[in-house]
Amino acid sequence: MSGQKVMEILLVEDDPGDVLMTREAFEDHRVPNNVSVVGDGVSALEFLRKQGQYATVPTPDLVLLDLNLPKMDGLEVLAVAKGDPMLRHIPVVVLTTSDAQEDVVGSYSLHANAYVTKPVDFDRFIDVVRRIDDFFVSVVRLPGR
């Protein structure tokens, strides 16, 4: 892995259990990952815009975005991020418990790159997150990589 660029991932998630499982899914992977976590929509936008305490954070290569967030929900975050010319190039995968059709349609209408419903089973959850990682690391070419 020497010389290989670290994949910068921003996880926007307020559930500590889901944060833990997502971090575990990214551990021991063939591509080094740095997972940063924020727990609400306002902090997500501050992170992406490098404001305040996030002034020196790396620009994420990928955002994993929950929809059910405090302060500002995921659809609002998605709308702002994809409406900002400085942020819209960053791929956003909605990773949420909601399987509501209006959330799926709303996410894609706001230019989400993918919509994934979180499995409730631990092993399936880990598998889904690893597949997202594999796809965005091995299959597609990301901006700036």
Side-chain angles (χ1 to χ4, degrees):
M1 286 195 229
S2 148
Q4 194 171 22
K5 185 179 185 297
V6 173
M7 176 86 160
E8 296 291 342
I9 299 166
L10 174 60
L11 174 61
V12 186
E13 175 60 67
D14 65 323
D15 182 308
D18 287 351
V19 169
L20 186 63
M21 287 191 296
T22 304
R23 283 189 182 279
E24 184 170 321
F26 282 113
E27 286 178 4
D28 302 320
H29 209 262
R30 71 181 180 280
V31 174
N33 294 294
N34 179 42
V35 180
S36 300
V37 179
V38 295
D40 64 74
V42 171
S43 295
L45 290 175
E46 289 172 351
F47 188 103
L48 290 168
R49 291 177 169 156
K50 299 182 182 221
Q51 297 172 330
Q53 67 178 325
Y54 305 109
T56 61
V57 298
T59 299
D61 296 305
L62 176 66
V63 176
L64 300 178
L65 177 66
D66 188 20
L67 291 185
N68 304 309
L69 297 167
K71 297 185 183 178
M72 176 185 280
D73 73 32
L75 289 177
E76 292 173 291
V77 172
L78 186 59
V80 172
K82 292 300 184 175
D84 185 329
M86 299 300 292
L87 303 176
R88 72 172 52 129
H89 71 281
I90 302 171
V92 177
V93 174
V94 173
L95 182 61
T96 187
T97 55
S98 173
D99 63 357
Q101 186 64 21
E102 61 266 21
D103 287 338
V104 175
V105 171
S107 295
Y108 282 117
S109 294
L110 294 170
H111 307 288
N113 297 84
Y115 189 101
V116 179
T117 303
K118 293 178 195 172
V120 292
D121 173 77
F122 174 78
D123 290 329
R124 287 216 3 97
F125 183 94
I126 297 293
D127 183 54
V128 164
V129 172
R130 285 187 176 151
R131 286 175 187 243
I132 292 168
D133 188 35
D134 282 338
F135 179 74
F136 280 96
V137 169
S138 303
V139 178
V140 300
R141 181 162 178 203
L142 298 175
R145 291 188 70 75

